Amino acid sequence: MGKDEQFMQRAIDLSRLAVEHGNEPFGAVLVKDGKIVFENENQIHTASDPTFHAETGLIRRFCQETGTEDLSSYSLYTSCEPCMMCSAAMVWAKLGKMVYGASNIYLEEKILHQQGSHTSELTFQEMGRGPATKGGILRDQAFQILQSYFG
């Protein structure tokens, strides 16, 4: 198993924990120099905060705790392609790289049965900047958790 798969596996494990803790199935890890430096799971229900997605919560907490505002030397691994809000947070934090498991379009169209909204890559294009992206890492495992929760 390569590094991308190892980090994605942890993000997927966090998505399972999020469900166990009463939240929606999304997890994220922040990596620098080949090591996980921070992780977070979705907490929208337990924190009573609809913006506490795995990715925005991770960025908010990590930056507050470390005093870091520039994540250009970091990579964020997330179990599902981020929504528009989370994608914008990545842009403002100057995230260097984002890697996701399941695609947002698949989640919305196949599982939630609604038209796909903005994907992170479209958000990055519209804003004229954003991290390098890579998708589909451990996609089937990520989809399985989403399907069992939303299906």
Side-chain angles (χ1 to χ4, degrees):
M1 183 179 284
K3 287 285 189 182
D4 281 346
E5 289 81 10
Q6 289 175 347
F7 298 138
M8 185 60 64
Q9 185 60 60
R10 182 59 187 154
I12 291 169
D13 292 344
L14 288 165
S15 72
R16 282 190 193 96
L17 285 174
V19 172
E20 290 176 20
H21 297 144
N23 294 294
E24 293 186 355
F26 302 99
V29 297
L30 190 63
V31 173
K32 184 172 183 181
D33 299 327
K35 295 180 183 150
I36 295 175
V37 295
F38 208 81
E39 56 186 40
N40 191 59
E41 61 190 59
N42 179 289
Q43 297 177 44
I44 61 173
H45 300 306
T46 54
S48 299
D49 180 353
T51 68
F52 209 126
H53 292 193
E55 304 90 345
T56 53
L58 181 148
I59 291 169
R60 183 183 311 126
R61 290 177 56 220
F62 179 77
C63 291
Q64 285 174 344
E65 289 181 21
T66 63
T68 302
E69 296 176 17
D70 183 345
L71 300 181
S72 58
S73 60
Y74 295 82
S75 297
L76 192 148
Y77 289 76
T78 179
S79 59
C80 185
E81 183 180 14
C83 71
M84 210 161 84
M85 175 187 69
C86 293
S87 298
M90 291 176 194
V91 170
W92 301 129
K94 302 176 191 79
L95 181 67
K97 181 180 177 184
M98 184 269 295
V99 181
Y100 63 89
S103 72
N104 195 27
I105 290 175
Y106 184 89
L107 168 65
E108 292 175 345
E109 293 179 357
K110 303 293 185 197
I111 297 176
L112 301 178
H113 306 292
Q114 63 189 31
Q115 287 296 327
S117 65
H118 281 31
T119 63
S120 55
E121 291 186 36
L122 281 174
T123 302
F124 299 150
Q125 289 172 4
E126 289 174 352
M127 296 183 82
R129 57 191 166 145
T133 61
K134 182 176 181 180
I137 304 297
L138 301 182
R139 179 186 62 218
D140 293 341
Q141 290 179 18
F143 284 154
Q144 185 178 34
I145 295 165
L146 293 167
Q147 182 69 51
S148 66
Y149 182 84
F150 291 111

